[in-house]
Amino acid sequence: MLLPLGATAADGEDLFTGEAAVENQGPAARSAAFPLALRNVLQKVTGLRGFSDYPSVEPALENAASQVLSFYYRKDEKRRPDGTQGEQLMLVAEFSEAAVLDLVRTAQLPFWQTRRKPVEAWVVVDDSLQRQIMPVEYEDVWRTLEQEAASRGLELNWPRADEDGMYPVDVQLLWGGYTEDLGGRDGHGVMIAAARREGPAWSVRVNLAYGGDHWVWRSKGVALQSLLGESVQQAVDHIAAANAIAATDLGIWSQDLRVTGLRKREDYLRCLNYLEGLDIVNAAAPVSARPGSVLFRLELSALPRYLEEAIESGRTLEFVEAENAYVLRP
């Protein structure tokens, strides 16, 4: 199985770099952390939270140290249970892409496609006294949720208020969960979490839109941060499952694809770059050409239907049934 190397999530989040908390920088702590960091990489690459359904994963993690290309340490700010801030030492390790992808293949894990659009997240909090968009007293929570999403391979963005602390969105629109009215930028996803205090507990409703799919779910609990954290985890679960390629669909396929509307050299290069940039395309090369038209031969790492889905979700090529070919959009 060949999968695209150099795969990264949105805005360069490296899918093959994992993290794990350590007590110190000693060799024993480092050796214990490497398997955890590799597990983190597998979470990003597959979109899975855990691997209990894949018994071959745990033994494979024991060989994590042999797959490390480089590592370093950093200190993260972390909120303690008592509400104070502290530092957590983290080991950050980059793993061999080839080794990770081989593990994905041998363990029959799904592969979450790497061209991932960020999700713009909104939180509306109703504490029974007032209803606010992104209250400033929860700023540290927003940062924590952003880190949780990144640890699963998804970029989470937060809207920015103006200099007066106002957002250009009707709070009632957000409270209603109308993700379609926000409209994702360039296909970016939108998540709206509406949290209401009900006595000593919180009730949270989440509306999530991503890539044409929509989900809604509710949860209740005493700790708002825990509810929002679980909401982010569920959002990643949904998005990853909807965009993952099953292990049985991975392999090597050859596919010919004709593109018309190529009137100049720049059109050809734009088309070739687009095809080579698709997740499941390992290689693309011209086979034949005629005025305004080129026949490309593609090597795919998954069933051809994933290529069709990728092209349909983009804005570069459009299929013309009468010509049995794709046309390059302006």
Side-chain angles (χ1 to χ4, degrees), residues 28-44:
R30 183 166 60 247
S31 296
F34 280 146
L36 299 178
L38 180 55
R39 176 194 292 275
N40 180 212
V41 168
L42 289 179
Q43 288 177 316
K44 294 180 181 182

Side-chain angles (χ1 to χ4, degrees), residues 204-218:
V204 176
R205 185 199 69 240
V206 178
N207 291 75
L208 173 66
Y210 191 96
D213 294 312
H214 296 80
W215 300 272
V216 181
W217 66 92
R218 298 175 183 271

